[in-house]
């Protein structure tokens, strides 16, 4: 496992999103502390992070066979959206797919909403074409609608679908000014440099130990899950030559295939929880 400075709350978010949700949505604090110890996070740090997540409304405390926490119902759509972005948006959009354009105007008296709109649209992968004008590949429209409605910001925004660019500047040049592509590439490069050696090592192994899978998979997924939001999946012709998202996605896909299932088996072993049985 590469050395990581990831916050405990981010690792816990990954544990809930990838494992606990599949095991009923609840975990005891004692079992969570045992799991987090494998990621070099001690008990006090776990309890402090859980307190913050509870205060933020992400988790609800619930006593079953001991004290534990379950995901707040309002978080399920957030995690479902994350699943779509993290695991199913790995390929660039096509030029023919078109664009979604978000236009907003917020009164000065409500400038906090203006800041929130900018930050959330940027987080979704929108690029800033002009003040109050943001755009992204058209396939991000459903995510944008859900997010703006969930945050109560839809009244400030108009969304449009456009089939093609009909302006005067070279589109590839314009795109490079609307998105910080070098910053996105730097994130992809850092991911590949950290995790490609792990993939190369593991692919030669006849069997991967579940606890080792857990130790690698959680920090890997935690690091990766930011990237599908930073990267809107722009069409290939608009991207720099040798766009390094391609090797990074390949590393992620390989490690997910190698580690997700044995990592889940380890969580089942530690917690005694199990996946719901598939209907026969």
């Amino acid at each position: 496992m590469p050395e990581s400075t990831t916050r405990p709350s981010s690792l816990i978010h990954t544990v809930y999103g990838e494992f606990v949700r599949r095991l009923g949505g609840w975990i005891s604090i004692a079992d969570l502390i045992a799991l987090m110890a494998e990621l070099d996070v001690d008990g006090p740090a776990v309890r402090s992070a859980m307190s913050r997540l509870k205060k933020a409304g992400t988790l609800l405390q619930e006593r079953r066979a001991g004290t534990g926490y379950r995901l707040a119902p309002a978080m399920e759509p957030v995690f479902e959206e994350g699943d779509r972005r993290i695991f199913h948006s790995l390929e660039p959009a096509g030029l023919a797919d078109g664009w979604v354009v978000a236009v907003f105007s917020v009164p000065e008296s409500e400038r906090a909403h203006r800041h929130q709109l900018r930050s959330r649209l940027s987080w979704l992968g929108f690029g800033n074409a002009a003040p109050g004008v943001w755009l992204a590949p058209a396939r991000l429209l459903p995510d944008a609608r859900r997010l703006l409605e969930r945050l109560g910001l839809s009244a400030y925004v108009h969304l449009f679908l456009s089939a093609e660019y009909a302006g005067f500047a070279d589109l590839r040049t314009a795109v490079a000014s609307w998105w910080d592509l070098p910053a996105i590439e730097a994130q992809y490069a850092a991911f590949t440099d950290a995790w490609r050696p792990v993939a190369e090592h593991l692919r030669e192994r006849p069997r991967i130990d579940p606890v080792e899978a857990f130790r690698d998979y959680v920090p890997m997924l935690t690091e990766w899950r930011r990237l599908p939001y930073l990267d809107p999946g722009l069409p290939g012709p608009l991207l720099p030559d040798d766009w390094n998202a391609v090797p990074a996605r390949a590393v992620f896909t390989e490690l997910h295939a190698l580690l997700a299932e044995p990592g889940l088996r380890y969580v089942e072993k530690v917690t005694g929880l199990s996946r719901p049985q598939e209907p026969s």
Side-chain angles (χ1 to χ4, degrees), residues 50-62:
M50 295 297 279
S51 177
R52 289 193 297 272
L53 290 168
K54 179 184 174 183
K55 185 176 181 181
T58 302
L59 300 176
L60 299 176
Q61 189 171 345
E62 184 177 288

Side-chain angles (χ1 to χ4, degrees), residues 30 49-50 79 92 140 181 207 230 249 252:
M50 295 297 279
F79 278 99
L140 294 188
L181 298 179
R207 178 183 176 277
L230 294 174
R249 288 190 188 109
F252 168 74

